[in-house]
Amino acid sequence: LPALSFEGGDRMYAEATKRFAPVFARFLPPDRAPRGAEWSTRVLLASLHTVRAPFAMTDEAAARELVRRHVIPAFPPVPAPE
C-alpha cells in the first residue's frame, strides 16, 4: 500500500484532486472545487478502507447517504456576492 501512504498518498490525493475538481466545479465555487474533490476522495477511501466496509458501493441508496452525511455538510453554501 505505498501508493496510499505518506508521499504516495499525497501524490494520489493530488491526482484525484486534479481529475475530479472539474466535476465539483459544477456545484462549488472555483476556489472550493479542488477541496471538494480531495475531501470526497478521502471520505470514499475511508469508507472502503475498513476490514468490513459499511456498505457496498454498488448500493446506490447507501452511496447517496454517504455523500449526504459526509460530503455535503463539509461544503455549506456560499452567499452570492451582492
Side-chain angles (χ1 to χ4, degrees), residues 36-58:
E38 180 184 344
W39 178 251
S40 297
T41 301
R42 290 177 182 274
V43 169
L44 175 64
L45 288 176
S47 70
L48 298 177
H49 178 65
T50 59
V51 173
R52 187 175 151 118
F55 63 90
M57 288 304 290
T58 56

Side-chain angles (χ1 to χ4, degrees), residues 17 20-40 71-80:
T17 298
F20 297 120
V23 174
F24 285 85
R26 293 179 48 210
F27 307 102
L28 296 171
D31 62 319
R32 295 176 70 197
R35 183 66 180 136
E38 180 184 344
W39 178 251
S40 297
V71 176
I72 293 173
F75 301 95
V78 176

